[in-house]
């Protein structure tokens, strides 16, 4: 892999010490800037968690009070009394995990084929994937619902899962990654008499581990967040997902903010923990695959 | 779907012998089969149906009547549709470049940290907003963006007199953009980090030996190497921003007046509040045409700056 | 023919020894406890029918409803409001409801009439949901403001609000929720009707025109002045919380809202709230708005008989109405259960709710068949919203709204 951009040659006269000092200084600067950004990200969360412990009167007081007078669990009790939180949480987790996994299984091979292979109808098929990204869901939702009814899937998890297996988003994301992989390794597999399948399985997939982990996560979160489609295709309350449950604290004329924040807090913590486990695959895999450099 | 064809630019490659080609075709069709079936059934078919609906006056329940291109003609003269489009475009201009720039900058900074555990910490923190339930977080931000809310409190510390974000037509779209960047930049950061990690370290070492300044290294090594990811993030944010819906629905409900009513929100209201499914479908198709047009332009232009491996 | 059908229906009912399951759907989460108590009682007294409660959040209720009805699989009993009824009814999505003559005659005509099309009833109204005035008695006492009597006038209300606007322990207390009183929406409209308003759209012959007359302009200005001139309401530059939130937190003296907020006030046990009479404008009879929600049976329901049994029981049976009244909610025949309602809300001056009911108005009920009504009202609301948020002058907003409404109304027949 050669880069053509010329780098200005400069005589090697720098002293190592000054370089190191400057590096340390820039590290401190980076840390400072990143911390500032992190505070901006975290402040709303702090507010969310604190609100979860406030009484409605405290939550709506103006100017705001940061700390509740008494750390009360009443909002959490009310949350569990009003919606079957645990069941909704469980439903959301397993359907999102399953959908994300099926998503990758269908999208990774397709993305690879679109990025690397040549075949008739390629543009058309890839175009349909892109098209699915560009039409607003507001108008396709009714036709899809009618289809689900025809198939007899209404109020079943099938209706939730099957239409989400294929995703233009995931295909496009992985397509971009496969495209930027160096060809040389796969070519050598092919020249050695290996099939495209071997090239995909033993070269491209391992190399794209980081991208696949990212795509899986995005897909998981996409489903974790979605509420309109689950609400429409599922009817039984024992099948309901978490976002729909949280939404029920928003009434026509009022929102119960403290209970909503209790729900948001509880639903965030486990995903953060899950994310911490997943995230090391997001970049490390790409480094350790040994394909680069 | 003639627009789609030129989107894929297959790099010129040595022609292989014909049995090899047949094997390639067969293999490819097998690989794309599951995904393509799903897309055909649950995207292309409904999209075709919506195209059909767009030439009727269907209300959603009773029998539709064919009205030809009347809905499209109405849309082009509908002042509310054009104002929704201008709100959407303003939002895109505010949110997309800011979002991409911020996530790229943050990713590069995180990537330059020497301590591995710090990278992990920041990566996790910046991704946090993505893992929450969007609807709940948007309701939270409604409070934060109030005239004397947290956002303006922080601005006050910096000596800036914050505006009434959600209550003024001039500031409501920037406010939605701030929320979207806060919520969504984590996705860009993750993608950029994954991409940055794959830039070979020895390239930097070589550059350092050659005496390149950090910015030069970024400009001439990093940027070309990660350009496919920049393109990806740009395209994804553009698609997302042009269809912005949930954020405006929850934060401002399209107000004040109609100043934050975006096309997607207008389509939603047309379909489910005004019961004009046919007209809503026509509006959606016009939005899609704009989206596809922008995509084609992006795709055509990418050869000028996006660097795919062409070994 | 009819008899055999009835016989068949009876047979099928008797052979179906196992209970029929029906789904009841509502958007009103504030009523969840009462609804569940009702359903438990119904399931007990009707062993052949099992009802399941479904709460569909308001934000997505109508989208879910539209998809379900379009897809032909629906809840069996659904909450319906006047904004959406004409659409569903005109598309044949609702099944007519048969009531015996006595029950039908007892229903309050003001809230039943909008649901009657061509002599056929398509919904049974729920209890009235009137716009009411709430006061924070502790604040009134603290500021030495007399508690309103039935002769309360708008000017007295304004004077009270002025006294109630003050700072206390660094907290800003406001007189009244002016930001919620946009004159084209139900709370503000209650003042408009009280000032002699006759409706925002006028029908002459076959054509409709906007009717934003002098009464509307004058009332709008009065209400808007609460924010910008009298400064007794949090304006867009000051308000951070919604009116009901400030009232709940004890930071607002007078709140114009709906009777359904009662269960919300329970969240703050220390709040000393009470109902107050609706103030009169220009010496005229107050005419607050009442929402007329109803229960319907979608034509896609597979258990229409059982569904109708539930609808009838919930909205007309003494047992159900007593349960509602005991929970501080107004049942369909509210007047008949007055004592239970008053007992449920002791010391809250709840009788004023009954005093105002006979004069209450159902918004736009004569215009419901107008197809573009939702769009016209949206345009109006958006224009006035600009004035209310301080981004437009009221006369300009009214003028623009009027002309845009007329443009839309021209397309209607």
């Amino acid at each position: 892999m050669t880069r053509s951009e010329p780098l200005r040659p400069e005589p090697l006269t720098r002293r190592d010490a000054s370089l190191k000092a400057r590096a340390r200084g820039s590290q401190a600067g980076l840390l400072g800037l990143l911390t500032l950004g992190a505070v901006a990200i975290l402040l709303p969360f702090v507010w969310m968690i604190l609100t979860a412990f406030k009484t409605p009167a405290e939550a709506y007081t103006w100017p705001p009070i940061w700390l509740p007078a008494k750390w009360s669990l009443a909002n959490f009790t009310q949350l569990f009394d009003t919606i079957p939180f645990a069941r909704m949480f469980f439903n959301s987790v397993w359907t999102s995990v399953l959908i994300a996994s099926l998503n990758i299984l269908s999208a990774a091979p397709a993305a690879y084929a679109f990025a690397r292979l040549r075949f008739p109808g390629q543009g058309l098929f890839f175009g349909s994937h892109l098209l699915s990204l560009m039409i607003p869901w507001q108008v396709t939702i009714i036709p899809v619902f009618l289809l689900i009814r025809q198939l007899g899937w209404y109020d079943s998890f099938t209706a939730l899962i099957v239409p989400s297996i294929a995703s233009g988003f995931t295909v496009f994301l992985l397509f971009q990654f496969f495209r930027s992989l160096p060809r040389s390794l796969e070519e050598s597999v092919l020249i050695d008499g290996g099939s495209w399948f071997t090239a995909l399985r033993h070269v491209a997939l391992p190399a794209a581990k980081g991208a696949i982990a990212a795509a899986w996560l995005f897909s998981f979160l996409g489903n974790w967040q979605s509420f309109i489609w689950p609400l429409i295709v599922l009817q039984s309350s024992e099948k309901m997902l978490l976002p729909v449950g949280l939404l029920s604290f928003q009434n026509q004329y009022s929102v119960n903010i403290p209970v909503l924040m209790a729900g948001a807090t509880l639903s965030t913590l486990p995903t953060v923990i899950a994310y911490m486990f997943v995230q090391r695959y997001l970049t490390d895999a790409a480094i350790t695959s040994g394909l680069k450099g | 779907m003639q627009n789609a064809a030129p989107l894929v630019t297959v790099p010129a490659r040595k022609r292989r012998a014909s049995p090899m080609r047949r094997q390639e075709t067969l293999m490819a069709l097998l690989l794309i089969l599951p995904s393509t079936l799903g897309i055909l059934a649950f995207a292309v078919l409904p999209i075709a149906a919506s195209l059909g609906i767009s030439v009727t006056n269907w209300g959603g329940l009773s029998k539709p009547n064919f009205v030809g291109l009347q809905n499209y003609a109405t849309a082009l003269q509908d002042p509310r549709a054009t104002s929704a489009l201008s709100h959407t475009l303003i939002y895109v201009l505010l949110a997309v470049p800011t979002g991409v720039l911020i996530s790229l900058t943050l990713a590069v900074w995180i990537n330059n940290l020497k301590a591995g555990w710090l990278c992990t910490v920041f990566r996790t923190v910046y991704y946090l907003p993505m893992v929450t339930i969007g609807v709940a977080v948007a309701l939270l931000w409604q409070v934060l963006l109030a005239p004397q809310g947290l956002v303006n409190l922080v601005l006050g510390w910096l000596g800036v007199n914050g505006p009434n974000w959600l209550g003024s037509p001039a500031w409501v779209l920037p406010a939605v953009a701030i929320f979207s960047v806060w919520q969504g930049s984590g996705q860009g950061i993750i993608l950029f980090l994954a991409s940055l990690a794959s830039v070979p370290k020895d390239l930097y070492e070589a550059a350092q030996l050659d005496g390149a300044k950090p910015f030069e290294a970024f400009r001439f090594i990093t940027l070309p190497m990660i350009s496919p990811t920049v393109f990806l993030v740009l395209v994804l944010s553009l698609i997302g921003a042009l269809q912005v819906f949930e954020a405006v629905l929850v934060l401002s409900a399209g107000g004040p007046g109609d100043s934050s009513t975006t096309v997607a929100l207008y389509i939603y209201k047309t379909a489910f509040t005004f019961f004009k499914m046919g007209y809503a479908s026509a509006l959606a198709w016009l939005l899609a045409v704009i989206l596809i047009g922008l995509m084609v332009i992006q795709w055509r232009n990418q050869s000028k700056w996006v660097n795919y491996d062409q070994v | 023919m009819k008899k055999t059908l009835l016989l068949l229906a009876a047979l099928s009912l008797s052979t179906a020894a196992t209970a029929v399951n029906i789904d009841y759907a509502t958007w009103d989460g504030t009523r969840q406890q009462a609804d569940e108590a009702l359903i438990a009682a119904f399931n007990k007294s009707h062993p052949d029918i099992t009802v399941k409660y479904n709460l569909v959040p308001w934000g997505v209720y109508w989208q879910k409803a539209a998809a379900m009805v379009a897809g032909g699989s629906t809840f069996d009993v659904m909450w319906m409001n006047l904004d959406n009824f004409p659409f569903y009814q005109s598309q044949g999505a609702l099944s007519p409801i048969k009531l015996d003559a006595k029950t039908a005659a007892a229903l309050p005509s003001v809230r039943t009439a909008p649901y009657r099309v061509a002599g056929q009833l398509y919904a049974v109204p729920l209890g009235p949901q009137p716009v009411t005035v709430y006061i924070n008695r502790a604040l009134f006492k603290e500021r030495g403001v007399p508690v309103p009597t039935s002769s309360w006038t708008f000017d007295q209300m304004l004077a009270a609000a002025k006294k109630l606007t003050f700072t206390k322990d660094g907290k800003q207390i406001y007189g009244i929720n002016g930001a919620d009183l946009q004159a084209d929406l139900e709370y503000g409209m209650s003042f408009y009707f009280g000032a002699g308003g006759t409706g925002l759209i006028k029908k002459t012959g076959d054509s409709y025109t906007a009717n934003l007359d002098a009464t509307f302009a004058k009332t709008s200005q009065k209400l808007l002045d609460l924010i910008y001139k009298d400064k007794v309401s949090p304006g867009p530059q000051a308000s951070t919380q919604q009116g009901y939130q400030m009232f709940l937190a004890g930071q607002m003296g007078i709140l114009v809202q709906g009777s359904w907020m009662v269960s919300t006030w329970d969240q703050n046990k220390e709040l000393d709230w009470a109902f107050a009479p609706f103030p009169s404008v220009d010496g005229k009879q107050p005419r607050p708005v009442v929402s007329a929600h109803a229960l319907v049976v979608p034509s896609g329901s597979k258990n229409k008989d059982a569904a109708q049994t539930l609808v009838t029981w919930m909205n007309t049976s003494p047992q159900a109405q007593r349960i509602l009244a005991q929970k501080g909610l107004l049942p369909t025949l509210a007047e008949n259960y007055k004592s239970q309602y008053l007992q449920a809300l002791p010391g809250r001056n709840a009788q004023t709710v009954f005093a105002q009911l006979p004069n209450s108005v159902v918004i736009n009920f004569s215009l419901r068949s107008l197809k573009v009504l939702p769009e016209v009202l949206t345009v109006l609301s958006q224009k006035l919203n600009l004035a209310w948020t301080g981004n437009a002058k009221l006369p300009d907003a009214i003028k623009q709204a009027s002309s845009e409404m007329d443009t839309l109304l021209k397309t209607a027949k």
Side-chain angles (χ1 to χ4, degrees):
Chain A
M1 214 182 324
T2 49
R3 296 282 131 200
S4 52
E5 288 80 14
L7 295 164
R8 222 179 321 139
E10 246 181 61
L12 297 165
T13 53
R14 297 243 175 85
R15 265 171 295 155
D16 264 13
S18 90
L19 257 178
K20 264 187 192 154
R22 203 192 297 167
R24 255 203 310 275
S26 75
Q27 282 290 300
L30 280 183
L31 199 61
L33 287 168
L34 284 169
T35 310
L36 216 63
V39 169
I41 294 286
L42 288 177
L43 264 183
F45 283 99
V46 173
W47 197 89
M48 172 177 95
I49 295 168
L50 290 177
T51 306
F53 292 96
K54 289 179 191 166
T55 64
E58 283 173 328
Y60 304 140
T61 293
W62 195 259
I65 36 176
W66 284 85
L67 296 178
K70 210 178 99 217
W71 292 78
S72 151
L73 289 175
N75 295 322
F76 294 91
T77 322
Q78 198 187 337
L79 176 73
F80 287 103
D81 283 350
T82 321
I83 59 169
F85 185 86
R87 169 164 283 276
M88 286 175 164
F89 188 86
F90 175 71
N91 287 342
S92 274
V93 169
W94 81 259
T95 53
S96 302
V97 166
L98 184 64
I99 291 173
S101 309
L102 290 171
N103 222 217
I104 297 297
L105 283 180
S106 76
Y112 182 74
F114 287 131
R116 280 291 196 260
L117 279 62
R118 292 179 66 198
F119 53 98
Q122 187 169 18
L124 193 70
F125 290 129
F126 189 63
S128 342
H129 280 80
L130 286 185
L131 188 68
S132 74
L133 276 177
M134 294 182 211
I135 292 277
W137 57 262
Q138 285 90 346
V139 288
T140 50
I141 201 161
I142 296 266
V144 182
F145 181 75
L146 295 177
L147 183 63
I148 292 295
R149 283 283 308 149
Q150 286 298 312
L151 294 166
W153 293 348
Y154 179 70
D155 198 24
S156 73
F157 283 118
T158 318
L160 188 68
I161 294 162
V162 174
S164 312
I165 292 178
S167 152
F169 179 87
T170 314
V171 168
F172 180 55
L173 200 143
L174 293 177
F175 169 82
Q176 278 303 97
F177 267 95
F178 284 130
R179 265 180 109 184
S180 59
L181 279 182
R183 278 172 186 281
S184 44
L185 278 166
E186 293 154 80
E187 304 254 317
S188 67
V189 170
L190 292 175
I191 288 163
D192 290 349
S195 69
W196 279 104
F197 187 72
T198 324
L200 169 65
R201 218 187 124 200
H202 294 290
V203 180
L205 281 186
K209 251 189 211 161
I212 287 176
W216 187 91
L217 186 71
F218 295 161
S219 173
F220 171 86
L221 290 172
N223 291 295
W224 174 252
Q225 303 245 3
S226 81
F227 64 97
I228 299 247
W229 182 244
L231 177 93
I232 284 177
V233 290
L234 299 176
Q235 179 171 332
S236 323
S237 48
E238 66 271 12
K239 294 195 185 97
M240 246 350 138
L241 305 188
L242 199 51
V244 184
L246 289 187
L247 215 58
S248 46
F249 292 103
Q250 186 182 23
N251 289 308
Q252 188 178 1
Y253 299 100
S254 57
V255 196
N256 196 331
I257 295 265
V259 179
L260 189 70
M261 290 304 130
T265 305
L266 280 190
S267 60
T268 303
L269 288 180
T271 43
V272 171
I273 293 165
Y275 170 70
M276 286 180 185
F277 279 107
V278 176
Q279 66 144 352
R280 64 194 185 92
Y281 295 103
L282 290 176
T283 57
D284 298 0
I287 304 165
T288 52
S289 64
L291 273 164
K292 293 284 178 172
Chain B
M1 223 168 316
Q2 64 208 40
N3 284 321
L7 291 184
V8 182
T9 44
V10 184
R13 217 170 344 117
K14 275 170 276 172
R15 292 259 158 213
R16 255 178 272 281
S18 127
M20 204 60 174
R21 298 257 333 137
R22 214 172 309 137
Q23 189 215 352
E24 189 175 334
T25 302
L26 204 69
M27 189 68 218
L29 292 178
L30 209 66
L31 290 177
I32 65 163
L33 187 69
S35 189
T36 305
L37 276 184
I39 290 288
L40 286 179
F42 298 107
V44 174
L45 199 68
I47 288 169
S50 83
L51 189 61
I53 294 168
S54 76
V55 292
T56 68
N57 65 353
W58 196 43
L61 300 180
S62 62
K63 283 233 150 47
N65 293 316
F66 180 75
V67 295
L69 295 177
Q70 193 194 310
N71 285 329
Y72 290 92
T74 312
L76 294 177
Q77 291 165 11
D78 180 352
R80 283 175 294 160
T82 34
S83 88
L85 182 62
S86 71
H87 301 148
T88 309
L89 295 179
I90 292 170
Y91 171 79
V92 165
L93 287 176
L94 288 170
V96 175
T98 332
V100 175
L101 264 179
I102 286 185
S103 42
L104 180 58
T105 313
L106 288 171
V108 169
W109 285 352
I110 294 174
N111 195 54
N112 282 350
L113 284 177
K114 293 245 159 54
W117 67 273
L118 276 177
C119 296
T120 313
V121 167
F122 283 117
R123 203 163 53 189
T124 311
V125 167
Y126 285 114
Y127 203 68
L128 259 180
M130 290 285 297
V131 307
T132 52
I133 306 261
V135 199
V137 183
L139 284 167
L140 168 71
W141 269 82
Q142 212 178 22
V143 182
L144 302 181
L145 283 164
Q148 298 167 41
L150 190 63
V151 175
N152 281 356
L153 187 72
V154 173
L155 284 177
W157 294 339
L158 305 172
V160 179
N161 215 342
N164 178 12
W165 294 99
L166 299 175
S168 83
W171 287 104
V172 63
L173 290 172
V176 178
I178 290 175
F179 167 71
S180 308
V181 169
W182 176 84
Q183 197 196 17
S185 55
Q187 176 156 324
I189 291 176
I190 292 295
L191 289 170
F192 284 132
L193 278 173
S195 181
L196 284 168
S198 67
V199 179
K201 287 274 179 288
D202 51 2
L203 280 182
Y204 290 116
E205 282 155 23
Q208 213 171 23
L209 281 177
D210 288 349
K213 295 197 174 70
F215 180 75
E216 290 168 340
F218 174 75
R219 170 69 188 82
F220 294 111
I221 301 174
T222 316
L223 213 49
M225 289 294 283
I226 65 166
S227 56
T229 311
V230 178
F231 178 72
L232 171 80
V233 173
L234 197 63
V235 166
L236 291 180
S237 349
L238 195 64
I239 291 176
L242 277 165
Q243 300 188 33
V244 60
F245 171 71
E246 222 171 87
V248 277
L249 181 73
V250 180
L251 279 179
S252 63
D258 71 341
S259 51
S260 63
T261 301
T262 58
V263 177
L265 187 60
Y266 187 53
I267 291 173
Y268 178 83
K269 278 192 185 162
T270 306
F272 296 102
T273 309
F274 309 152
F275 308 114
K276 293 175 165 177
M277 207 50 97
Y279 186 46
S281 300
L283 287 171
W285 269 93
L286 290 176
L287 177 63
V289 166
I290 293 171
L291 250 162
I292 292 168
L294 283 174
M295 273 326 105
V296 170
I297 294 170
Q298 293 247 9
W299 214 282
R300 291 260 165 84
N301 274 338
Q302 65 171 325
S303 60
K304 291 191 190 132
W305 61 279
V306 182
N307 217 314
Y308 296 101
D309 187 79
Q310 311 260 331
V311 179
Chain C
M1 183 63 190
K2 235 183 189 158
K3 264 190 185 157
T4 29
L5 274 179
L6 276 177
L7 201 69
L8 275 173
L11 265 176
S12 66
L13 269 182
S14 61
T15 47
T18 50
V20 182
N21 289 305
I22 59 173
D23 276 292
Y24 166 85
T26 175
W27 67 75
D28 189 355
T30 61
R31 229 177 89 130
Q32 186 167 3
Q33 279 189 352
D35 271 339
E36 282 171 349
L38 282 179
I39 287 171
F42 180 83
N43 285 342
K44 209 166 167 194
S45 61
H46 296 74
D48 53 330
I49 304 174
T50 309
V51 181
K52 223 180 81 193
Y53 174 81
N54 295 275
L55 173 63
V56 182
W58 169 255
V60 282
Y61 186 89
W62 297 108
Q63 187 162 23
K64 166 113 182 151
M68 285 181 94
V69 172
S73 74
T74 73
F75 294 119
D76 301 287
V77 174
M78 284 174 64
W79 273 49
M80 177 55 68
N81 69 5
L82 267 179
D83 286 341
N84 288 277
F85 171 77
F87 169 71
Y88 286 92
Q89 194 279 328
S90 66
Q91 307 274 318
L94 304 180
S95 136
I97 289 177
K98 302 256 183 289
L99 294 177
D100 63 75
K102 206 177 132 220
T103 317
L107 289 175
S109 63
V110 112
R111 284 176 289 121
T112 311
Y115 294 108
R116 203 183 284 282
V117 178
Q120 186 62 255
L121 191 65
Y122 285 89
V124 182
L126 287 148
Q129 300 210 310
V131 172
T132 50
V133 177
Y134 295 97
I135 57 167
N136 182 327
R137 277 186 301 210
L139 286 176
F140 268 68
K141 203 171 159 197
E142 190 179 335
R143 302 296 287 172
V145 183
V147 170
T149 61
S150 58
S151 62
W152 212 30
T153 66
F154 190 92
D155 296 330
Q156 286 171 339
M157 183 188 83
L158 176 59
K162 280 180 178 160
K163 276 196 183 167
L164 290 161
T165 305
F166 66 109
T167 26
K168 176 184 166 188
D169 311 333
K171 289 185 198 169
Q172 176 66 47
I173 315 286
Y174 281 103
I176 188 171
N177 58 329
D180 298 331
L181 303 182
Q182 203 176 308
D184 63 310
L185 303 177
E186 56 192 323
Y187 311 137
M189 251 191 147
S190 296
F191 293 95
Y192 159 74
F193 283 117
T198 50
L200 305 179
I201 297 168
K202 197 166 54 190
K203 187 178 181 187
T204 19
D206 258 357
S207 61
Y208 297 89
T209 44
N211 184 33
L212 309 181
D213 57 6
T215 314
F216 182 76
K218 203 176 144 208
T219 317
S220 298
Q221 192 61 56
K222 259 188 177 177
L223 296 168
L224 197 60
D225 282 347
L226 294 173
I227 307 174
Y228 296 100
K229 188 171 147 245
D230 309 316
K231 301 199 184 335
V232 294
S233 287
Q237 290 302 331
S239 78
T240 50
Q241 318 290 24
Q242 299 192 21
Y244 78 90
Q245 294 175 335
M246 296 202 76
F247 186 77
L248 185 62
Q251 287 184 269
M252 186 165 278
I254 304 165
L255 181 84
V256 184
Q257 252 272 8
S259 61
W260 55 88
M261 293 302 282
V262 166
S263 64
T264 306
W265 305 149
D266 280 348
Q267 292 172 16
N268 182 2
K269 301 285 180 222
E270 275 149 42
L271 183 68
D272 183 16
W273 68 271
F275 288 107
F278 217 90
S280 62
V281 184
D282 299 337
K284 296 195 178 76
Q285 167 85 53
R287 300 190 65 204
V289 166
V290 63
S291 294
H293 304 327
L295 293 180
V296 295
V297 177
S299 36
S301 162
K302 299 197 172 51
N303 300 298
K304 287 199 192 87
D305 291 329
Q308 181 157 338
T309 309
L310 175 67
V311 170
T312 316
W313 182 84
M314 258 196 171
N315 288 356
T316 64
S317 81
Q319 191 191 1
Q321 298 195 77
R322 214 176 299 123
I323 293 175
L324 281 172
Q326 282 162 357
K327 299 238 173 225
L329 291 162
L330 293 167
T332 306
L333 301 170
E335 284 82 359
N336 301 358
Y337 300 87
K338 192 171 169 180
S339 61
Q340 283 95 336
Y341 182 81
L342 295 182
Q343 263 169 32
L345 300 167
R348 302 292 188 192
N349 199 17
Q351 61 275 11
T352 58
V353 175
F354 288 92
Q356 68 176 48
L357 271 183
N359 304 311
S360 48
V361 192
V362 175
I363 302 181
N364 294 329
F365 81 93
S366 59
L367 299 167
R368 290 297 166 181
S369 56
L370 185 59
K371 274 237 168 67
V372 290
L373 187 64
E375 249 177 303
V376 174
L377 295 179
T378 304
V379 164
L380 171 61
S381 166
Q382 285 179 345
K383 290 292 168 205
L384 283 194
N385 180 247
L386 284 176
W388 245 258
T389 50
N391 293 303
K393 290 217 168 69
L394 183 64
D396 297 343
I398 292 180
K399 207 191 271 166
Q400 281 179 22
S402 211
S403 86
E404 285 194 28
M405 285 168 79
D406 282 339
T407 313
L408 275 171
L409 286 167
K410 260 185 211 131
T411 63
K413 280 203 194 85

